[in-house]
Amino acid sequence: MWRRRAGALLRVWGFWPPGVPGRRPLSCDPASQAGGNSPLCWNCGSPGGPGRENGFFCPQCRALQAPDPTRDYFSLMDCNCSFRVDTVKLQHRYQQLQRLVHPDFFSQRSQTEKDFSEKHSTLVNDAYKTLLAPLSRGLYLLKLRGIEIPERTDYEMDRQFLMEIMEINEKLAEAESEAAMKEIESIVRAKQKELTDNVSSAFEQDDFEEAKEILTKMRYFSNIEEKIKLKKIPL
């Protein structure tokens, strides 16, 4: 019964087009676009492992396959490789995939499939959280292009920006009233909105150095947001 249910879900969502090869999803990673021999199913030995289209399941025996290590988050979540992401579509895709690979649906399956479902579910969770937030999405886009931002980058930031961050942190440390907290939150929210718009433009122009600088600033404001949340928690 489970196999019939999984097969129906896969056909509805386009993972197993009956008799017709599916279109290859968009991917930021050229390696995941490359051809080559498809991995063999661990259960029945037929071609159609993780390297084949959306190959979550073997097309012959319907056994759950191992996650594709070359697949990027954008391809997994059926998103264009872009900073602009349709978050409603992203959430819908997340829910679809979790209904497909969540460990709860594999309690009566083999231990191999149980292990694979855990890995798939974790991967889907990580992909969803990464692409949902503008900061982590931007950092991931840079990472796909071999660009990473060190944790401490004070020496690369202009003095005026660092002074602005220091002033906001000082105001936060001194804030005692709800009104003062809301004022700081409003300032930080407006700054993050401005920076998000700017980094989106930078990615559209393939200006990755500019995107790197803006994302570094966003990370500073993200740290302040975390401090605000902590300060709101009653001791």
Side-chain angles (χ1 to χ4, degrees), residues 142-156:
L142 288 185
K143 183 178 179 180
L144 289 176
R145 289 163 174 79
I147 304 171
E148 302 217 30
I149 304 176
E151 282 298 321
R152 294 199 58 82
T153 52
D154 293 1
Y155 66 94
E156 294 182 359

Side-chain angles (χ1 to χ4, degrees), residues 90-133:
L90 178 65
Q91 184 177 23
H92 183 56
R93 172 71 169 178
Y94 168 75
Q95 292 169 343
Q96 286 181 333
L97 292 182
Q98 285 294 23
R99 286 196 292 266
L100 191 67
V101 300
H102 195 277
D104 287 351
F105 299 124
F106 291 84
S107 59
Q108 304 301 316
R109 308 284 283 186
S110 67
Q111 187 59 48
T112 298
E113 288 178 283
K114 289 179 183 178
D115 293 341
F116 287 161
S117 70
E118 291 278 357
K119 293 177 181 178
H120 276 293
S121 186
T122 299
L123 186 61
V124 169
N125 278 329
D126 291 344
Y128 176 67
K129 291 177 182 177
T130 298
L131 300 188
L132 183 64

Side-chain angles (χ1 to χ4, degrees), residues 45-175:
S46 65
R52 173 171 169 165
E53 304 301 339
N54 281 296
F56 291 95
F57 294 83
C58 171
Q60 299 300 321
C61 71
R62 305 306 193 236
L64 182 65
Q65 303 298 296
D68 181 356
T70 69
R71 194 171 191 183
D72 63 82
Y73 289 168
F74 289 94
S75 171
L76 176 63
M77 303 308 291
D78 196 24
C79 294
N80 290 335
C81 186
S82 166
F83 183 77
R84 292 185 182 274
V85 168
D86 184 337
T87 55
V88 174
K89 179 182 175 183
L90 178 65
Q91 184 177 23
H92 183 56
R93 172 71 169 178
Y94 168 75
Q95 292 169 343
Q96 286 181 333
L97 292 182
Q98 285 294 23
R99 286 196 292 266
L100 191 67
V101 300
H102 195 277
D104 287 351
F105 299 124
F106 291 84
S107 59
Q108 304 301 316
R109 308 284 283 186
S110 67
Q111 187 59 48
T112 298
E113 288 178 283
K114 289 179 183 178
D115 293 341
F116 287 161
S117 70
E118 291 278 357
K119 293 177 181 178
H120 276 293
S121 186
T122 299
L123 186 61
V124 169
N125 278 329
D126 291 344
Y128 176 67
K129 291 177 182 177
T130 298
L131 300 188
L132 183 64
L135 176 57
S136 55
R137 186 194 316 143
L139 292 173
Y140 183 69
L141 268 172
L142 288 185
K143 183 178 179 180
L144 289 176
R145 289 163 174 79
I147 304 171
E148 302 217 30
I149 304 176
E151 282 298 321
R152 294 199 58 82
T153 52
D154 293 1
Y155 66 94
E156 294 182 359
M157 304 308 298
D158 62 84
R159 181 177 178 81
Q160 182 178 351
F161 174 77
L162 292 176
M163 288 297 294
E164 180 182 14
I165 293 296
M166 287 177 62
E167 289 175 5
I168 295 175
N169 274 315
E170 287 174 1
K171 286 183 180 179
L172 179 59
E174 296 169 358

